[in-house]
């Protein structure tokens, strides 16, 4: 790869990709033509497409993958795949205008959809002989389907940019019809090997097919893993994630008055945000960038002149609260009178939570009680409850829907964040059920009734991050 050792690697998320026609002017075009290049763009699938391919991220509604895994006949997954084709065509018709580009995009969708359909039919036929088990191939099937969305969006982006005179290059890392087996690093190097960044703008798929299998470890966080690995391997000057909003001190919808753009924070804060379900970047991707000494910038894709928020490894210049956020959780509480002085209770609970894939947000314990605050559906926790009752039949086990409001900053030392937070919540008539601050002083957590979360975030923000003269940061609506 030819470059000037001064390039950036930039990622665009799915919801922003659905406004690609706007991004051409705000993000890709620049007044000085020389500034168009020396950038690598990694793109996600258009908004909603991955849900159709796999399953809906929030509702769990079955996509092609779930239908293929569970249906006894062919009609379910074939109908779902047809919906994907319709969704893809609708997506690119919303951002492309020229008839030739629309025709090329339609042909691309037809070729990929037909290829996937034939592959899945062949897989079913192979597994009908009995020596092969479909379950052994489901993760590879998930990988195949995932790559379809990013390949489509990258191809369409390339068409749109070429139409306006930008020398864009489609870089497909999805391994489509490629029999070679490569590691992730090898796949990236192979795709970018002959790219000249000084006069080409590579548009790279967020999914990369590799021997390690991205889905097995990262599932739908794979695009940020690809993005961060490209930045590390190419020694990027900076990694940039373009969102539809600024990374700000709270959700503007929950805070009366003004919120502020963070401007500058570090990877410690990014990790805490991930733990609270508010990912600036996938924690594994953040680790890759941190180890490669590549700073991350989070910007609003539709405000190209705003520098956004820089995330690096630097400590704060002075102690300060930076962001207030929150998350709905369930409290899984085990009380056992015989626990005092006995080792092993916590280890067994953790083993069961891990086996059921339950994500732990926080935990507390005392002499005879262990409470895990978890981010998981109640139906999954009922399975854990059943197993725990078998292991500890004399214990009292309760599951309660609650919420955690968290104040986060690079350095909270000396601010009495815990005390001031408790006072602010008391004045807002919020009952605090538990609160804790670790000795590293990067976050303070308040466990509260679920219905009090919005009020708690507003109260904590008002007390710990008073309004400034910074304008309120809200996502701009797309013009009708």
């Amino acid at each position: 790869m030819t470059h000037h050792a001064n390039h950036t690697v930039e990622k665009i998320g799915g919801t922003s990709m659905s406004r690609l026609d706007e991004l051409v002017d705000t993000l890709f075009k620049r007044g000085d033509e020389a500034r168009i290049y020396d950038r690598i763009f990694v793109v996600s699938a258009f908004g909603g497409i991955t849900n159709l391919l796999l399953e809906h991220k929030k509702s769990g509604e079955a996509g092609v993958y779930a239908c293929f895994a569970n249906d006894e006949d062919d009609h379910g997954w074939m109908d779902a795949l047809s919906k994907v084709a319709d969704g893809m065509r609708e997506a690119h018709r919303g951002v492309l205008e020229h008839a030739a580009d629309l025709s090329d995009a339609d042909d691309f969708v037809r070729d990929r959809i037909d290829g996937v359909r034939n592959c899945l039919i062949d897989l079913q036929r192979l597994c009908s002989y009995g020596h092969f088990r479909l379950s052994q191939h489901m993760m590879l099937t998930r990988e195949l389907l995932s790559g379809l969305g990013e390949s489509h969006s990258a191809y369409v982006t390339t068409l749109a940019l070429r139409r306006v005179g930008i020398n864009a290059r489609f870089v497909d890392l999805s391994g489509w019809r490629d029999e070679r087996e490569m590691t992730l690093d090898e796949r990236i190097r192979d795709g970018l090997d002959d790219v000249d960044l000084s006069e080409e703008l590579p548009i790279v798929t967020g999914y990369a097919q590799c021997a390690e299998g991205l889905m097995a470890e990262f599932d739908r966080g794979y695009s940020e893993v690809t993005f961060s690995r490209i930045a590390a391997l190419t020694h990027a000057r900076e990694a940039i994630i373009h969102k539809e909003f600024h990374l700000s001190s709270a959700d503007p919808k929950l805070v009366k008055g003004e919120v502020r753009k963070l401007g500058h924070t570090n990877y410690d804060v990014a990790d805490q945000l991930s733990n609270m379900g508010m990912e600036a970047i996938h924690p594994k991707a953040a680790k890759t960038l941190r180890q490669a000494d590549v700073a991350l910038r989070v910007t609003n894709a539709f405000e190209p002149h705003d520098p956004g928020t820089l995330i690096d490894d630097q400590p704060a210049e002075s102690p300060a609260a930076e962001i207030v956020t929150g998350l709905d959780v369930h409290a899984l509480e085990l009380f056992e009178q015989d626990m005092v002085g006995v080792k092993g209770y916590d280890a067994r609970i953790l083993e069961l939570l891990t086996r059921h894939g339950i994500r732990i947000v926080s935990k507390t314990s005392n002499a005879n009680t262990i409470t895990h605050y978890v981010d998981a559906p109640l139906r999954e926790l009922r399975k854990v409850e059943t197993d725990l009752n078998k292991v500890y039949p004399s214990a009292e086990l309760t599951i309660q829907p609650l919420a955690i409001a968290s104040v986060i900053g690079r350095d909270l030392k000396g601010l009495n964040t815990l005390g001031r937070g408790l006072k602010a919540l008391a004045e807002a008539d919020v009952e605090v059920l538990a609160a804790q601050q670790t000795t590293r002083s990067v976050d303070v957590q308040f466990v509260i009734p679920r219905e009090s979360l919005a009020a708690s975030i507003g109260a904590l923000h008002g007390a710990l991050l008073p309004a400034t003269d910074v304008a309120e940061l809200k996502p701009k609506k797309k013009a009708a």
Side-chain angles (χ1 to χ4, degrees):
M1 185 181 70
T2 305
H3 58 85
H4 306 303
N6 195 35
H7 69 284
T8 57
V9 176
E10 312 187 19
K11 179 184 176 294
I12 308 173
T15 50
S16 298
M17 283 298 299
S18 296
R19 297 168 63 181
L20 175 63
D21 51 337
E22 297 176 62
L23 291 178
V24 170
D25 292 322
T26 63
L27 189 59
F28 292 102
K29 278 185 179 179
R30 293 185 168 184
D32 180 5
E33 186 173 341
R35 295 177 61 237
I36 290 175
Y37 301 101
D38 276 323
R39 297 184 290 170
I40 299 172
F41 277 91
V42 178
V43 298
S44 296
F46 287 110
I49 297 298
T50 306
N51 287 339
L52 293 174
L53 285 164
L54 303 179
E55 65 282 316
H56 197 284
K57 194 171 185 179
K58 294 183 178 178
S59 72
E61 182 181 351
V64 179
Y65 173 81
C67 289
F68 184 75
N70 300 322
D71 280 10
E72 294 181 357
D73 58 67
D74 298 340
H75 300 295
W77 71 262
M78 284 191 175
D79 290 345
L81 192 58
S82 295
K83 287 182 182 178
V84 171
D86 292 341
M88 286 181 168
R89 283 190 286 265
E90 182 181 352
H92 67 238
R93 286 170 186 166
V95 297
L96 296 175
E97 295 181 355
H98 199 280
D101 295 336
L102 288 167
S103 178
D104 283 350
D106 284 344
D107 289 344
F108 183 90
V109 170
R110 188 180 305 110
D111 175 67
R112 294 292 172 110
I113 293 291
D114 286 349
V116 168
R117 182 182 289 110
N118 291 336
C119 178
L120 295 185
I121 289 172
D122 289 343
L123 181 57
Q124 280 187 326
R125 185 182 299 121
L126 178 68
C127 293
S128 69
Y129 286 93
H131 292 80
F132 301 91
R133 294 284 179 267
L134 188 60
S135 59
Q136 297 173 346
H137 302 280
M138 289 313 299
M139 187 53 70
L140 291 176
T141 301
R142 193 169 176 84
E143 299 249 353
L144 172 72
L145 290 167
S146 296
L148 201 59
E150 272 82 9
S151 296
H152 170 244
S153 62
Y155 185 77
V156 171
T157 302
T158 304
L159 290 175
L161 296 180
R162 286 177 178 171
R163 180 59 55 186
V164 297
I166 295 174
N167 187 26
R169 176 168 174 174
F170 174 46
V171 179
D172 188 0
L173 303 183
S174 72
W176 183 255
R177 300 190 189 281
D178 187 344
E179 297 180 357
R180 298 173 298 169
E181 183 161 321
M182 300 180 180
T183 65
L184 177 58
D185 289 2
E186 289 169 344
R187 179 70 68 186
I188 291 170
R189 290 191 176 102
D190 179 72
L192 296 173
D193 183 50
D194 60 347
V195 173
D196 185 349
L197 291 182
S198 65
E199 55 184 39
E200 291 181 288
L201 190 66
I203 309 299
V204 186
T205 57
Y207 169 76
Q209 193 278 329
C210 58
E212 302 97 309
L214 293 184
M215 296 295 289
E217 183 173 358
F218 307 108
D219 201 57
R220 291 171 69 160
Y222 57 79
S223 62
E224 291 188 354
V225 174
T226 303
F227 154 76
S228 63
R229 197 68 204 137
I230 291 173
L233 283 176
T234 62
H235 307 291
R237 171 174 57 83
E238 200 169 79
I240 304 173
I241 293 181
H242 300 288
K243 295 182 176 289
E244 285 191 296
F245 49 83
H246 284 293
L247 194 58
S248 56
S249 58
D251 184 341
K253 297 189 291 292
L254 301 180
V255 175
K256 293 179 181 179
E258 296 174 344
V259 299
R260 65 184 73 174
K261 184 182 68 181
L262 290 194
H264 187 196
T265 191
N266 66 14
Y267 285 116
D268 261 357
V269 169
D271 287 345
Q272 302 310 319
L273 291 177
S274 294
N275 188 49
M276 296 302 297
M278 184 185 168
E279 283 191 2
I281 185 172
H282 191 285
K284 292 291 180 68
K287 179 181 177 181
T288 296
L289 293 175
R290 182 187 292 200
Q291 291 179 340
D293 197 25
V294 176
L296 171 69
R297 190 176 296 276
V298 180
T299 74
N300 185 323
F302 304 96
E303 296 182 13
H305 302 296
D306 192 301
T309 295
L310 182 68
I311 301 175
D312 55 23
D313 228 0
Q314 299 303 307
E317 293 181 3
S318 59
E322 297 178 31
I323 187 167
V324 181
T325 187
L327 180 69
D328 287 344
V329 296
H330 281 96
L332 179 69
E333 183 176 276
L334 184 137
F335 167 78
E336 171 65 272
Q337 192 67 54
D338 296 334
M339 188 187 302
V340 183
V342 179
K343 298 178 181 178
Y345 277 84
D346 198 19
R348 195 62 187 271
I349 298 171
L350 288 173
E351 179 188 327
L352 287 172
L353 290 173
T354 301
R355 185 193 307 167
H356 288 279
I358 305 299
R359 191 177 78 85
I360 302 169
V361 178
S362 187
K363 61 179 286 190
T364 60
S365 65
N366 62 18
N368 53 23
T369 307
I370 299 174
T371 306
H372 288 86
Y373 302 100
V374 298
D375 178 18
L378 181 59
R379 63 180 180 274
E380 296 299 321
L381 291 178
R382 291 302 181 196
K383 298 175 185 177
V384 176
E385 181 182 34
T386 299
D387 288 351
L388 277 174
N389 282 327
K390 292 177 183 176
V391 176
Y392 301 119
S394 62
E396 294 180 20
L397 189 65
T398 58
I399 299 174
Q400 186 178 2
L402 298 172
I404 294 178
S406 182
V407 181
I408 302 171
R410 285 169 286 179
D411 183 3
L412 300 177
K413 291 185 180 72
L415 299 178
N416 190 24
T417 305
L418 182 59
R420 291 166 62 196
L422 289 169
K423 180 182 178 184
L425 293 175
E427 291 174 352
D429 293 323
V430 174
E431 179 187 10
V432 179
L433 305 173
Q436 65 175 343
Q437 176 175 355
T438 65
T439 54
R440 288 199 67 241
S441 295
V442 293
D443 76 318
V444 178
Q445 296 180 350
F446 302 90
V447 181
I448 51 177
R450 187 169 288 189
E451 62 273 15
S452 300
L453 180 56
S456 299
I457 290 174
L460 291 168
H461 190 277
L464 298 165
L465 291 96
T468 67
D469 59 353
V470 180
E472 190 169 321
L473 303 170
K474 294 183 178 179
K476 292 188 175 180
K477 300 287 185 182
K478 183 177 179 181

